[in-house]
């Protein structure tokens, strides 16, 4: 048995498009950036949280842009490359504003975020990417 094979009795699942735990059929959707902010995981890794309003609902997605040391790259010397999540977010911001993630306007704001320990939304200070809010 190949070391990448599923254990006996586990069936494969059909692939589906999924964003932030919600699913939509594959396609292109009109949407508005409801919220975009920078956050830090307990491990120290930075991530961008997006909330996009589309099709009568808000789709949330978290994309990690750094490792736990806060570095945005991997590799060594001439082989240094940006992490895939960093590249994704750089492309996202560039497509909306013609500026990469490193050139975005960021303001510290109090916003509502879900707190997993309290199991509810609470006010929290976050670095918000104000340059993309409400953009289609």
């Amino acid at each position: 048995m190949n070391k990448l094979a599923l254990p006996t009795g586990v069936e494969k699942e059909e692939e589906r498009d999924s964003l932030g735990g919600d699913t939509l059929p594959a396609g292109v959707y009109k949407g508005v950036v409801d919220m975009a902010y920078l956050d830090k995981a307990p491990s120290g890794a930075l991530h961008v949280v997006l909330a996009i309003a589309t099709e009568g609902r808000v789709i949330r997605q978290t994309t990690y842009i750094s490792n736990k040391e806060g570095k945005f790259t991997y590799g060594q010397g001439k082989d240094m490359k940006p992490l895939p999540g960093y590249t994704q977010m750089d492309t996202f911001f560039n497509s909306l504003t013609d500026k990469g993630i490193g050139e975005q306007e960021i303001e510290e704001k109090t916003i509502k975020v879900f707190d997993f320990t309290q199991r509810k939304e609470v006010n929290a200070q976050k670095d918000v990417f104000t340059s993309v809010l409400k953009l289609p």
Side-chain angles (χ1 to χ4, degrees):
M1 178 192 288
N2 183 313
K3 66 181 178 180
L4 300 176
L6 291 173
T8 304
V10 177
E11 293 185 27
K12 292 182 182 179
E13 291 185 342
E14 185 177 326
E15 281 189 81
R16 60 184 184 161
D17 288 337
S18 178
L19 298 173
D22 203 355
T23 60
L24 292 171
V28 177
Y29 296 87
K30 287 185 178 185
V32 174
V33 180
D34 195 47
M35 181 53 64
Y37 66 91
L38 187 64
D39 206 354
K40 187 184 245 185
S43 67
L46 295 174
H47 56 273
V48 174
V49 179
L50 297 176
I52 309 291
T54 185
E55 299 292 311
R57 55 183 141 176
V58 177
I59 305 295
R60 287 178 171 68
Q61 178 164 335
T62 300
T63 304
Y64 282 84
I65 61 170
S66 83
N67 62 20
K68 62 185 178 181
E69 288 86 33
K71 295 180 182 176
F72 304 118
T73 58
Y74 69 97
Q76 295 179 349
K78 294 179 183 178
D79 293 330
M80 291 284 268
K81 296 184 183 338
L83 290 167
Y86 184 91
T87 299
Q88 289 174 352
M89 288 296 97
D90 192 57
T91 300
F92 171 80
F93 286 109
N94 213 338
S95 69
L96 291 178
T97 66
D98 290 326
K99 294 179 183 175
I101 190 170
E103 303 169 278
Q104 295 301 308
E105 297 170 26
I106 298 175
E107 290 180 35
E108 189 173 288
K109 293 186 172 276
T110 301
I111 61 171
K112 291 249 185 221
V113 298
F114 189 81
D115 183 307
F116 289 96
T117 57
Q118 297 183 43
R119 302 187 68 107
K120 66 178 184 176
E121 283 194 337
V122 297
N123 288 331
Q125 291 289 115
K126 299 293 178 189
D127 290 330
V128 176
F129 293 94
T130 56
S131 53
V132 296
L133 295 181
K134 306 304 176 200
L135 288 180

